[in-house]
Amino acid sequence: MVYLDHAATTPVYPEVLDIEKEAELLYFANASSLHTAGRKSSRALEDARKRILNCFGVASTHTMVFTSGATESNNFFIKGIALKYQNRGKKIITTKVEHPSVTNAFRSLEALGFEVVELPVNDKGELEPQTLEAAMDQHTILVSVIGVNNETGSINDLKALSAVVKKYPKAFFHSDLTQAIGKTKIDYSCLDAFSFSAHKFGGRKGVGGLVFKKQIAPSPLLSGGAQEFSLRSGTPNVPGALGMAKALEISLQGVDGKIAKAHELNEYLRKSLMDLGEGRFNSPESGCPFILNFSLQKHKASVMIEALSEQEIYVSSVSACSSKSEPISHVLEAMGKSKEDAGNSIRVSFGYETTKEDLDAFVSTLSRLLKEVHPR
């Protein structure tokens, strides 16, 4: 098997499974219970929270709420901030290339009377600071911009964008960092809030987090028992929290070397695909090296992806969260790609264990299939 779909989900680290299995036995008690076993679980939960914040280098300025994943985190902050601070203004800004969990959260607020602005990006898929500056005004209360695009790997300059938002004291700056953590260097301190999922960096599915500055208080979306500082009710998943902390620590260990290796693999794959003479690259060379997106010219991408799958080589097309309902990539269209290219793309995404041999197997199999399958 050659697995090249790490942007969709990553394999779980064995260490994470070991820790969570142990935690299920040691910390089975409800962390909200007042007895000794409950307090033991609560201490373990707080240990996981502290370790995660330390990994991001924001323990003194930010706090964190555990969630079920980035989709919940994005909805929690976007809706929670908009509803809490709508007396300041009702203008909220995002981009045309966000993950559906951000785009649809914004559009749900539009139905409640909020002014939603979706900003264009350049041909590299980046939001330019001057574009954001032109859209900002005294009524803006929230800006949410993806850190690394999940389809193309385009990287936004969050520090420069943050500097624009900070000129407007009523506005908060949030980023969906689901594809960015462990894959590019980030100054997390420049963000008012950011979202992530454990399964994108070797943790398990169903656990994630929302990190935000301590002075910020979004309105909770869930009513219940007042867990997680009364912001996210529900019995906390202590084993999942501990597993996510461990996965993050492993992922960020030696991260510079991991990124350098991914750059080498990305360049190697680009050259190999160029030699085939079939595709056009959609991912910018300045993007995150763990993702390479290209569009086929003579063959149907969906047919190639299925044929590759039959050979146990796994790649994808548009976001895994929308691939069954949205065959044409809104991200590629926003970057100025043709509708033909936007509907015929292949995304290859690497993991830390990906090798040149994996890429050779992918390219050689793709080359053979391109000869065997009739052009569209």
Side-chain angles (χ1 to χ4, degrees), residues 128-176:
E128 297 177 346
Q130 58 267 34
T131 301
L132 176 59
E133 180 77 72
M136 297 289 295
D137 61 30
Q138 68 272 22
H139 303 294
T140 306
I141 60 170
L142 173 64
V143 177
S144 184
V145 179
I146 197 167
V148 170
N149 189 270
N150 52 296
E151 291 188 31
T152 64
S154 301
I155 301 174
N156 278 306
D157 187 343
L158 297 178
K159 199 160 188 177
L161 297 171
S162 174
V164 173
V165 178
K166 286 180 179 178
K167 297 177 184 178
Y168 299 83
K170 295 180 181 179
F172 297 102
F173 186 43
H174 165 263
S175 184
D176 176 1

Coordinates of all heavy atoms in Angstrom, one line a residue, residues 128-176:
E128 N -4.0 38.5 0.1 CA -3.0 39.6 0.2 C -3.4 40.6 1.3 O -4.6 40.9 1.4 CB -2.8 40.3 -1.1 CG -2.2 39.3 -2.2 CD -2.1 40.0 -3.6 OE1 -2.7 41.1 -3.7 OE2 -1.4 39.4 -4.4
P129 N -2.5 41.0 2.1 CA -2.8 41.9 3.2 C -3.5 43.2 2.8 O -4.5 43.7 3.4 CB -1.4 42.3 3.8 CG -0.6 41.1 3.5 CD -1.0 40.6 2.2
Q130 N -3.2 43.7 1.6 CA -3.9 44.9 1.1 C -5.3 44.7 0.8 O -6.2 45.5 0.9 CB -3.1 45.5 -0.1 CG -3.0 44.6 -1.3 CD -1.6 43.9 -1.3 OE1 -1.1 43.5 -0.2 NE2 -1.1 43.6 -2.5
T131 N -5.6 43.4 0.4 CA -7.0 43.1 0.1 C -7.8 43.1 1.4 O -9.0 43.5 1.4 CB -7.1 41.7 -0.6 OG1 -6.3 41.7 -1.8 CG2 -8.5 41.3 -0.9
L132 N -7.2 42.5 2.4 CA -7.9 42.5 3.7 C -8.0 43.9 4.2 O -9.1 44.3 4.8 CB -7.1 41.7 4.7 CG -7.6 41.7 6.2 CD1 -9.1 41.1 6.2 CD2 -6.7 40.8 7.0
E133 N -7.0 44.7 4.1 CA -7.0 46.1 4.6 C -8.2 46.9 3.9 O -8.9 47.6 4.6 CB -5.7 46.8 4.2 CG -5.6 48.2 4.7 CD -5.3 48.4 6.2 OE1 -4.2 48.1 6.6 OE2 -6.2 48.8 6.9
A134 N -8.4 46.7 2.7 CA -9.5 47.4 1.9 C -10.8 47.0 2.4 O -11.8 47.8 2.3 CB -9.3 47.2 0.4
A135 N -11.0 45.8 3.0 CA -12.3 45.3 3.4 C -12.6 45.7 4.9 O -13.8 45.6 5.3 CB -12.4 43.8 3.2
M136 N -11.6 46.0 5.7 CA -11.8 46.2 7.1 C -12.4 47.6 7.3 O -12.2 48.6 6.6 CB -10.4 46.2 7.8 CG -9.7 44.9 7.8 SD -10.5 43.6 8.8 CE -10.3 44.2 10.5
D137 N -13.3 47.7 8.4 CA -13.8 49.0 8.8 C -14.2 48.8 10.3 O -14.0 47.8 10.9 CB -15.0 49.4 8.0 CG -16.2 48.5 8.0 OD1 -16.4 47.8 9.0 OD2 -16.9 48.4 7.0
Q138 N -14.8 49.9 10.8 CA -15.1 49.9 12.3 C -16.2 49.0 12.7 O -16.4 48.7 13.9 CB -15.4 51.3 12.7 CG -16.7 51.9 12.2 CD -16.5 52.6 10.9 OE1 -15.6 52.3 10.1 NE2 -17.5 53.5 10.5
H139 N -16.9 48.4 11.7 CA -18.0 47.5 12.0 C -17.5 46.0 12.0 O -18.3 45.1 12.3 CB -19.1 47.7 11.0 CG -19.7 49.1 11.0 ND1 -20.3 49.6 12.0 CD2 -19.6 50.0 10.0 CE1 -20.7 50.9 11.7 NE2 -20.3 51.1 10.5
T140 N -16.3 45.8 11.6 CA -15.7 44.4 11.5 C -15.4 43.9 12.9 O -14.7 44.5 13.7 CB -14.5 44.4 10.7 OG1 -14.7 45.0 9.4 CG2 -14.0 42.9 10.5
I141 N -16.0 42.7 13.2 CA -15.7 42.1 14.5 C -15.0 40.7 14.4 O -14.4 40.2 15.4 CB -17.0 41.9 15.3 CG1 -18.0 40.9 14.6 CG2 -17.7 43.2 15.6 CD1 -19.2 40.5 15.4
L142 N -14.9 40.2 13.2 CA -14.2 38.9 13.1 C -13.6 38.7 11.7 O -14.2 39.0 10.7 CB -15.2 37.7 13.3 CG -14.7 36.3 13.1 CD1 -13.6 35.9 14.0 CD2 -15.9 35.3 13.2
V143 N -12.4 38.2 11.7 CA -11.7 37.8 10.5 C -11.2 36.4 10.7 O -10.5 36.1 11.6 CB -10.5 38.7 10.1 CG1 -9.8 38.2 8.9 CG2 -11.0 40.1 9.9
S144 N -11.5 35.5 9.7 CA -11.1 34.1 9.8 C -10.4 33.7 8.5 O -11.1 33.8 7.4 CB -12.3 33.1 10.1 OG -11.8 31.8 10.2
V145 N -9.1 33.4 8.5 CA -8.4 33.1 7.3 C -7.6 31.7 7.5 O -6.9 31.6 8.5 CB -7.4 34.2 7.0 CG1 -6.5 33.8 5.8 CG2 -8.1 35.5 6.8
I146 N -7.7 30.8 6.6 CA -7.1 29.5 6.7 C -5.6 29.7 6.7 O -5.0 30.6 6.0 CB -7.6 28.6 5.6 CG1 -7.3 27.2 5.9 CG2 -7.0 29.0 4.2 CD1 -8.0 26.2 5.0
G147 N -4.9 28.9 7.5 CA -3.4 29.0 7.6 C -2.8 28.3 6.4 O -2.0 28.9 5.7
V148 N -3.1 27.0 6.2 CA -2.6 26.3 5.0 C -3.8 25.7 4.3 O -4.6 25.0 5.0 CB -1.6 25.2 5.4 CG1 -1.3 24.3 4.2 CG2 -0.3 25.8 5.9
N149 N -4.0 25.9 3.0 CA -5.1 25.4 2.3 C -5.1 23.9 2.2 O -4.1 23.3 1.8 CB -5.3 26.0 1.0 CG -6.6 25.7 0.3 OD1 -6.7 24.7 -0.4 ND2 -7.6 26.5 0.6
N150 N -6.2 23.3 2.5 CA -6.3 21.8 2.5 C -6.2 21.2 1.2 O -5.9 20.0 1.0 CB -7.5 21.3 3.3 CG -8.8 22.0 2.7 OD1 -8.9 23.2 2.8 ND2 -9.7 21.2 2.2
E151 N -6.5 21.9 0.1 CA -6.5 21.3 -1.2 C -5.2 21.6 -2.0 O -4.7 20.7 -2.7 CB -7.6 21.9 -2.1 CG -9.0 21.4 -1.6 CD -10.1 21.8 -2.6 OE1 -9.8 21.9 -3.8 OE2 -11.2 22.0 -2.1
T152 N -4.6 22.8 -1.8 CA -3.4 23.2 -2.6 C -2.2 23.4 -1.8 O -1.1 23.4 -2.3 CB -3.7 24.5 -3.3 OG1 -3.9 25.6 -2.4 CG2 -5.0 24.4 -4.2
G153 N -2.3 23.5 -0.5 CA -1.1 23.8 0.4 C -0.7 25.3 0.4 O 0.3 25.6 1.0
S154 N -1.5 26.1 -0.2 CA -1.2 27.6 -0.2 C -1.1 28.1 1.2 O -1.9 27.7 2.0 CB -2.3 28.4 -1.0 OG -2.4 27.9 -2.3
I155 N -0.1 28.9 1.5 CA 0.2 29.4 2.8 C -0.2 30.8 2.9 O 0.3 31.7 2.1 CB 1.7 29.2 3.2 CG1 2.1 27.7 3.2 CG2 1.9 29.8 4.6 CD1 3.5 27.4 3.4
N156 N -1.0 31.2 3.9 CA -1.2 32.6 4.1 C -0.2 33.2 5.1 O 0.2 32.5 6.1 CB -2.7 32.8 4.6 CG -3.7 32.8 3.5 OD1 -3.6 33.6 2.6 ND2 -4.7 31.9 3.6
D157 N 0.1 34.4 4.9 CA 1.0 35.1 5.8 C 0.2 35.6 7.0 O -0.2 36.8 7.0 CB 1.7 36.3 5.1 CG 2.8 37.0 5.9 OD1 2.8 36.8 7.2 OD2 3.6 37.7 5.4
L158 N 0.1 34.8 8.0 CA -0.8 35.1 9.1 C -0.3 36.3 9.9 O -1.1 37.1 10.5 CB -1.0 33.9 10.0 CG -1.7 32.7 9.3 CD1 -1.7 31.5 10.3 CD2 -3.1 33.0 8.8
K159 N 1.0 36.4 10.0 CA 1.5 37.5 10.8 C 1.2 38.9 10.1 O 0.8 39.8 10.8 CB 3.1 37.4 11.0 CG 3.6 38.2 12.1 CD 5.0 37.7 12.5 CE 5.5 38.4 13.8 NZ 6.8 37.8 14.3
A160 N 1.4 38.9 8.8 CA 1.0 40.2 8.1 C -0.5 40.5 8.2 O -0.9 41.6 8.3 CB 1.5 40.1 6.7
L161 N -1.3 39.4 8.0 CA -2.7 39.6 8.1 C -3.2 40.0 9.5 O -4.0 40.9 9.7 CB -3.4 38.3 7.7 CG -3.2 37.9 6.2 CD1 -3.8 36.5 6.0 CD2 -3.8 38.9 5.3
S162 N -2.5 39.5 10.5 CA -2.8 39.8 11.9 C -2.5 41.3 12.2 O -3.3 42.0 12.9 CB -2.0 39.0 12.9 OG -2.1 39.4 14.2
A163 N -1.4 41.8 11.6 CA -1.1 43.2 11.8 C -2.2 44.1 11.2 O -2.4 45.2 11.8 CB 0.3 43.5 11.1
V164 N -2.8 43.7 10.1 CA -3.9 44.5 9.6 C -5.1 44.5 10.6 O -5.7 45.5 10.9 CB -4.4 43.9 8.2 CG1 -5.6 44.6 7.7 CG2 -3.2 44.0 7.2
V165 N -5.5 43.3 11.1 CA -6.6 43.1 11.9 C -6.4 43.9 13.2 O -7.3 44.5 13.8 CB -6.9 41.7 12.2 CG1 -8.1 41.5 13.2 CG2 -7.2 40.9 11.0
K166 N -5.2 44.0 13.7 CA -4.9 44.6 15.0 C -5.1 46.1 14.9 O -5.2 46.8 16.0 CB -3.5 44.3 15.4 CG -3.4 42.9 16.0 CD -1.9 42.6 16.4 CE -1.8 41.2 17.0 NZ -0.5 40.8 17.4
K167 N -5.2 46.7 13.7 CA -5.5 48.1 13.6 C -7.0 48.4 14.0 O -7.3 49.6 14.1 CB -5.2 48.6 12.2 CG -3.8 48.5 11.7 CD -3.7 48.9 10.3 CE -2.3 48.7 9.7 NZ -2.1 49.1 8.3
Y168 N -7.8 47.4 14.1 CA -9.2 47.5 14.4 C -9.5 46.8 15.7 O -9.7 45.6 15.7 CB -10.0 47.0 13.2 CG -9.8 47.7 11.9 CD1 -8.7 47.4 11.1 CD2 -10.6 48.8 11.5 CE1 -8.4 48.0 10.0 CE2 -10.3 49.5 10.4 CZ -9.2 49.1 9.6 OH -9.0 49.8 8.4
P169 N -9.5 47.5 16.8 CA -9.6 46.9 18.2 C -10.8 46.0 18.4 O -10.8 45.2 19.3 CB -9.5 48.1 19.1 CG -8.9 49.2 18.3 CD -9.3 49.0 16.9
K170 N -11.9 46.3 17.6 CA -13.1 45.5 17.8 C -13.1 44.1 17.2 O -13.9 43.3 17.4 CB -14.3 46.3 17.3 CG -14.6 47.6 18.0 CD -15.8 48.2 17.3 CE -16.2 49.6 18.0 NZ -17.4 50.2 17.3
A171 N -12.1 43.9 16.3 CA -12.0 42.7 15.5 C -11.1 41.6 16.1 O -10.1 41.9 16.6 CB -11.6 43.0 14.1
F172 N -11.5 40.4 16.0 CA -10.7 39.2 16.4 C -10.2 38.5 15.1 O -10.9 38.4 14.1 CB -11.6 38.2 17.2 CG -12.1 38.8 18.5 CD1 -13.4 39.3 18.6 CD2 -11.2 39.0 19.6 CE1 -13.9 39.8 19.8 CE2 -11.7 39.5 20.8 CZ -13.0 39.9 20.9
F173 N -9.0 37.9 15.2 CA -8.4 37.2 14.1 C -8.3 35.7 14.4 O -7.6 35.3 15.4 CB -7.0 37.8 13.8 CG -6.4 37.2 12.6 CD1 -7.1 37.0 11.4 CD2 -5.0 37.0 12.6 CE1 -6.5 36.5 10.3 CE2 -4.4 36.4 11.4 CZ -5.2 36.2 10.3
H174 N -8.9 34.9 13.7 CA -9.0 33.4 13.8 C -8.4 32.8 12.6 O -8.6 33.2 11.5 CB -10.4 33.0 14.1 CG -10.6 31.5 13.9 ND1 -11.1 30.9 12.8 CD2 -10.4 30.5 14.8 CE1 -11.2 29.6 12.9 NE2 -10.8 29.3 14.2
S175 N -7.8 31.6 12.8 CA -7.3 30.8 11.7 C -7.6 29.3 11.9 O -7.4 28.8 13.0 CB -5.8 31.0 11.5 OG -5.3 30.3 10.4
D176 N -8.0 28.7 10.9 CA -8.1 27.2 10.8 C -6.7 26.7 10.5 O -6.3 26.8 9.3 CB -9.1 26.8 9.8 CG -9.3 25.3 9.6 OD1 -8.6 24.6 10.3 OD2 -10.1 24.9 8.8

